[in-house]
Amino acid sequence: MISFKAPSNIALVKYWGKKGEQLPANPSISFTLTHCYTETSIEYERRSESSIASGEPFSFDFSFEGQPKPSFHPKIHTFFERIVAYLPFLKDYHFSIASHNSFPHSSGIASSASAMAALSVCLMQISKELGETYAEEAFWQKASFLARLGSGSACRSVRGSIVVWGEHPAIIGSSDEYSIPYPLPVHEVFQNYQDTILLIDRGQKQVSSTVGHNLMHGHPFAEARFAQANENINKLVRSFASGDVERFIEVVESEALTLHAMMQTSIPYFILMRPNTLEVIQRIWQYRKETNIPLCFTLDAGANVHLLYPKTSTTEVKWFIEEELAQFCEGRQYIHDEVATI
Ligand code: DP6
């Protein structure tokens, strides 16, 4: 049996808008998390003659957290269709896929990134077992490439603790096709950054990311936004090197608000923030002003708030969360996580 644990990631510079076959309209950069992950296991055996003769291109079953989940089949089928050109053995075997998340399914935490990344790495391991050989680097690049075809942000969840996806002139080796571990200097303040995820709204999103990305086609602010993301990567590169937390905060919070501004100014427009998202943001700003503790936030495509802060501020920030912010979370729920050290 093959298995792999793929982590969630949270983007600092956001991917929002795509072109071609799942290529990003601008480069993005993310922190890889430690405690939020998807673990996937696969058993596989050769398909029988009759199964192949049935005309079905693929044969698999899927269970999630121990229960068969036929509702996930179309997603996996589409994914297999997209990647079969790169892994032709997919047609010849039956796959029993089992998956579980370390975080609650209804938490509103996007699981597609970690799920597609885990599945892709498992399939790459199978490809190796079946006799394919890869140099170390080529293995991870192809795993990330395949994950991208499942879900863009998934390509940033295969390896590395700070990860870049999308070509950027300041980052040698960066590519639109796959992610790479961030190759430039990182000041120690950013090496074990903390991320506490406030679960503001655990409901299903009303608008999927895929739909949102498509609304960037013909969006009135698209070009300026893509240029800004490129510029924000330059700024992050400088803050990572120098340890400039203030500039880091400016970039990260601006990226989060810009992402949501793009949603609010597309046609159709939509709002994924909730009143408690805004309440929490106000309180973070107030807290930072009063204490000088470099606590900041980012958002993904939903209402939840990711709190980012250096490890050295953990005690104070945890107290602040419990005393002031937990009341704005559904069921007072939040998840402490930190940037992976791989
Ligand atoms: C807001 O990767 O979920 O989280 O490629 O259509 O599957 P698809 O979209 P997805 O988009 C994630 C967008 C984001 C920002 C980010 O992670 O960079």
Side-chain angles (χ1 to χ4, degrees):
M1 192 173 65
I2 291 289
S3 64
F4 189 76
K5 229 186 220 184
S8 277
N9 74 76
I10 179 70
L12 304 170
V13 173
K14 308 288 182 181
Y15 148 58
W16 198 245
K18 48 178 142 181
K19 56 188 184 191
E21 202 186 21
Q22 286 280 104
L23 297 169
N26 63 261
S28 58
I29 190 161
S30 55
F31 276 156
T32 306
L33 302 184
T34 306
H35 305 305
C36 291
Y37 60 81
T38 299
E39 186 166 24
T40 296
S41 311
I42 306 186
E43 281 176 299
Y44 62 103
E45 58 185 7
R46 257 200 179 277
R47 285 175 78 180
S48 62
E49 291 300 325
S50 62
S51 163
I52 292 173
S54 73
E56 279 298 325
F58 309 114
S59 174
F60 61 85
D61 55 73
F62 178 75
S63 71
F64 182 69
E65 306 200 322
Q67 301 295 325
K69 271 273 176 226
S71 58
F72 280 43
H73 282 209
K75 258 210 164 113
I76 298 172
H77 188 92
T78 307
F79 180 52
F80 278 18
E81 273 176 341
R82 284 197 192 158
I83 64 170
V84 66
Y86 310 102
L87 296 177
F89 69 84
L90 287 179
K91 289 202 283 285
D92 304 328
Y93 289 83
H94 174 83
F95 302 93
S96 289
I97 308 165
S99 199
H100 68 92
N101 291 340
S102 66
F103 45 89
H105 187 51
S106 58
S107 58
I109 297 182
S111 62
S112 67
S114 51
M116 285 297 171
L119 185 53
S120 301
V121 175
C122 284
L123 294 174
M124 282 299 288
Q125 285 171 351
I126 293 174
S127 146
K128 254 171 108 173
E129 279 197 351
L130 294 173
E132 205 59 59
T133 53
Y134 300 96
E136 175 77 8
E137 201 49 33
F139 177 91
W140 291 109
Q141 281 180 4
K142 185 166 172 180
S144 172
F145 172 96
L146 297 172
R148 185 196 99 230
L149 296 175
S151 177
S153 56
C155 82
R156 296 189 312 243
S157 268
V158 298
R159 65 161 176 169
S161 55
I162 302 176
V163 178
V164 184
W165 170 39
E167 208 177 313
H168 189 281
I171 301 172
I172 294 164
S174 58
S175 166
D176 284 353
E177 310 239 315
Y178 50 78
S179 74
I180 57 165
Y182 182 71
L184 299 171
V186 178
H187 188 276
E188 69 178 338
V189 70
F190 293 115
Q191 286 183 10
N192 38 25
Y193 236 62
Q194 306 291 299
D195 178 359
T196 301
I197 309 163
L198 303 181
L199 305 179
I200 303 285
D201 182 359
R202 293 150 59 194
Q204 279 289 105
K205 279 187 282 188
Q206 316 104 299
V207 181
S208 77
S209 290
T210 306
V211 169
H213 285 292
N214 283 332
L215 296 176
M216 289 304 281
H217 291 295
H219 191 294
F221 306 133
E223 285 322 306
R225 158 62 197 152
F226 302 146
Q228 177 203 41
N230 275 278
E231 195 36 50
N232 278 343
I233 295 224
N234 282 325
K235 290 181 183 170
L236 262 196
V237 165
R238 289 197 289 271
S239 352
F240 276 148
S242 64
D244 183 345
V245 176
E246 232 169 89
R247 177 55 70 92
F248 170 86
I249 290 176
E250 190 179 283
V251 170
V252 167
E253 292 190 344
S254 158
E255 276 289 320
L257 294 177
T258 302
L259 168 71
H260 284 256
M262 291 300 110
M263 298 170 186
Q264 291 167 25
T265 49
S266 60
I267 301 289
Y269 38 81
F270 56 104
I271 301 179
L272 296 183
M273 289 195 254
R274 308 284 304 153
N276 282 353
T277 313
L278 291 175
E279 186 61 49
V280 162
I281 290 174
Q282 300 294 345
R283 292 195 184 227
I284 293 167
W285 286 343
Q286 188 66 27
Y287 177 76
R288 199 159 75 219
K289 206 164 129 198
E290 282 167 6
T291 64
N292 264 327
I293 291 173
L295 169 67
C296 72
F297 71 88
T298 188
L299 307 167
D300 56 17
N304 294 339
V305 179
H306 288 247
L307 301 175
L308 300 175
Y309 49 99
K311 197 178 175 77
T312 47
S313 304
T314 304
T315 313
E316 295 91 324
V317 172
K318 278 191 169 166
W319 189 84
F320 172 59
I321 293 169
E322 199 37 50
E323 288 301 304
E324 265 211 54
L325 301 183
Q327 59 178 313
F328 302 110
C329 302
E330 228 184 295
R332 293 187 67 89
Q333 271 205 315
Y334 53 86
I335 298 173
H336 284 304
D337 209 328
E338 55 193 335
V339 177
T341 50
I342 39 169

